[in-house]
């Protein structure tokens, strides 16, 4: 792994990438989800060794990159395609004193190009929405494989995802009004069931 890390972070401009998941509010919700985040911290601490290089794909607030740095990683590359969120992540990195370990790079993980010789011991990525496809986790991981920056001994956190689908009927009624709205964050729709996270 080269000491200075450069990456050609070409950014796509399709509607999904610019609107769907680039929200500081969503990133904040991830961070506030203690069950999820503590499971990641546990997994990262049980895997990351002091000499290792880590990539955190879709770093958001930088939380998982910071967990990796705190676990002792030598070098952490954190990729984030939202300019503003990347700036927030850099601030979080500085505020926690890990600026010599973590480098936040603004890029689209689906097609950014890595410097020849780059390789990662651990890949952390939490862009899991809807079967790892909706938020481009599969596409981002494919890009790592395509460029050979990961190999058979690279550890992925998480290493698999189980996706469940159920037929549902909902009236979209709240406060006595009919409202068209995404319901999966509403408590009475079973918010708790979405908090069960299995990383291994
Ligand atoms: C669900 S948030 C998770 C944030 C953080 N990893 C965590 O677990 O707390 C996903 C983050 O990935 C970023 N992201 C989504 N697709 C991306 C892509 N193709 N390349 C780089 N970042 C991406 C979003 O902007 C968002 O900040």
């Amino acid at each position: 792994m080269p000491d200075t890390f450069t990456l050609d972070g070409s950014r796509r401009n399709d509607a999904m990438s610019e609107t769907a998941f680039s929200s500081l509010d969503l990133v904040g919700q991830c961070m506030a989800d203690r069950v999820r985040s503590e499971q990641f911290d546990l997994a990262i601490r049980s895997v990351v060794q002091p000499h290792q290089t880590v990539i955190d794909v879709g770093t958001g607030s930088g939380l998982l990159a910071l967990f990796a740095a705190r676990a002792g990683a030598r070098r952490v590359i954190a990729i984030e395609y939202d300019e503003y969120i990347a700036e927030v992540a850099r601030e979080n990195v500085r505020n926690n004193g890990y600026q010599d370990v973590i480098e936040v790079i603004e890029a689209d993980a689906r097609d950014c190009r890595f410097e020849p010789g780059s390789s990662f011991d651990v890949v952390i990525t939490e862009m899991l929405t809807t079967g790892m496809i909706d938020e481009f986790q599969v596409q981002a991981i494919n890009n790592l494989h395509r460029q050979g920056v990961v190999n058979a001994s690279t550890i992925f956190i998480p290493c698999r995802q189980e996706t469940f689908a159920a037929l549902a009927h909902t009236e979209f009624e709240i406060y006595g009004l009919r409202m068209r709205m995404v319901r999966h964050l509403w408590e009475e729709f079973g918010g708790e069931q979405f908090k069960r996270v299995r990383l291994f």
Side-chain angles (χ1 to χ4, degrees), residues 21-22 27 30 36 56 58-61 63-64 79-82 85 107-110 126-127 135-136:
F21 299 103
S22 287
V27 165
C30 287
R36 177 205 82 109
D56 176 22
T59 199
S61 63
L63 181 70
L64 306 184
I79 300 184
E80 170 57 53
Y81 75 177
D82 184 295
I85 295 176
D108 187 331
R110 289 171 293 175
E126 205 284 58
M127 307 192 298
E135 205 182 358
F136 311 130

Side-chain angles (χ1 to χ4, degrees), residues 23-37 61 63 126 184-186 195:
S23 133
L24 197 59
D25 182 35
L26 281 174
V27 165
Q29 285 179 32
C30 287
M31 190 171 67
D33 185 338
R34 295 192 77 95
V35 176
R36 177 205 82 109
S37 300
S61 63
L63 181 70
E126 205 284 58
H184 65 269
L185 297 177
W186 296 2
K195 292 191 173 157

Side-chain angles (χ1 to χ4, degrees), residues 179-197:
M179 304 297 287
R180 184 159 180 229
M181 181 53 61
V182 176
R183 295 200 61 162
H184 65 269
L185 297 177
W186 296 2
E187 282 295 311
E188 72 268 31
F189 193 58
E192 278 304 309
Q193 84 193 55
F194 294 97
K195 292 191 173 157
R196 285 186 323 199
V197 182

